[in-house]
Amino acid sequence: AIMVVGNDPAALWLLAVPALVLYLAYRAYMSERDKHESLEFLYESTTILQRTPELDRAIVELLAHARRMFRAEVAELTLVPTGDSTEALRTSLGPDDATDVMVPVDQSELGKTWSRTLSEGRALLFARSAHDATLDVSTRFRLRDALVAPLRGDRSVLGMLVVGDRLGDVSTFDEEDLRLLEAL
């Protein structure tokens, strides 16, 4: 570069071509690496569910895996009541090392987000806002940002999976994270 500029400053534009090629190659590489990580995450999730015979332990391992993959502080799975029961069962990890496994929860404690997820029937993305408001996912957590996905059964919604509070002050969840959670 120094020799090109020293010999003929007008030829400086020739350096833009290799720089652009390197930039585009790097972007393509990062995109493929992200796709590979997503597929590996889904494979690991399936492996966790297959190798763990106890439901409680499998859910805890799956939530821990989701927290690592999404770099989140909180992961929670709530199974809605079936039949005459009015209590849901909640398993949650975080913040920090806090763990609750299959804790009975009254449906009124599930929050507005549960109602919205149930009515819309699709995964929802709550990105961190500029005014840093909190998100009402349940009465237990006040999250800055979250991914919420319904767990669909054959005939109805069986529960809700929440991954929230992305670690770090700058990054937040995006549409790609939402698609990955839906696949999970």
Side-chain angles (χ1 to χ4, degrees), residues 5-174:
V5 171
N7 288 335
D8 186 9
L12 185 61
W13 70 272
L14 290 174
L15 296 177
V17 173
L20 180 65
V21 168
L22 283 174
Y23 172 75
L24 293 175
Y26 180 73
R27 277 192 58 183
Y29 167 76
M30 292 304 292
S31 174
E32 290 301 315
R33 193 182 112 217
D34 288 345
K35 288 178 188 175
H36 175 73
E37 283 180 359
S38 298
L39 287 173
E40 195 170 306
F41 168 71
L42 293 173
Y43 174 76
E44 271 297 311
S45 302
T46 305
T47 303
I48 287 170
L49 292 174
Q50 288 178 349
R51 75 169 180 239
T52 311
E54 300 89 28
L55 178 63
D56 298 357
R57 205 171 103 219
I59 290 174
V60 169
E61 284 186 38
L62 187 63
L63 290 175
H65 186 61
R67 275 180 62 187
R68 281 190 307 273
M69 179 60 191
F70 291 107
R71 297 180 312 280
E73 190 172 350
V74 174
E76 178 180 272
L77 175 78
T78 304
L79 300 173
V80 295
T82 56
D84 297 333
S85 176
T86 61
E87 289 187 331
L89 295 174
R90 177 176 55 211
T91 300
S92 60
L93 295 179
D96 301 320
D97 293 331
T99 303
D100 290 330
V101 180
M102 296 293 185
V103 176
V105 177
D106 193 74
Q107 276 189 299
S108 62
E109 294 181 43
L110 295 179
K112 296 174 191 168
T113 305
W114 165 248
S115 302
R116 183 174 170 194
T117 303
L118 190 60
S119 67
E120 293 190 24
R122 63 178 179 85
L124 303 171
L125 168 66
F126 298 94
R128 191 172 297 170
S129 65
H131 59 282
D132 207 29
T134 57
L135 172 66
D136 177 27
V137 172
S138 71
T139 56
R140 179 156 183 246
F141 299 120
R142 296 291 177 197
L143 304 174
R144 295 181 315 257
D145 56 349
L147 300 168
V148 180
L151 300 174
R152 293 181 195 91
D154 290 338
R155 287 174 260 149
S156 64
V157 175
L158 303 174
M160 174 175 71
L161 179 61
V162 177
V163 176
D165 276 354
R166 185 88 180 241
L167 296 174
D169 293 331
V170 179
S171 66
T172 188
F173 298 111
D174 58 19

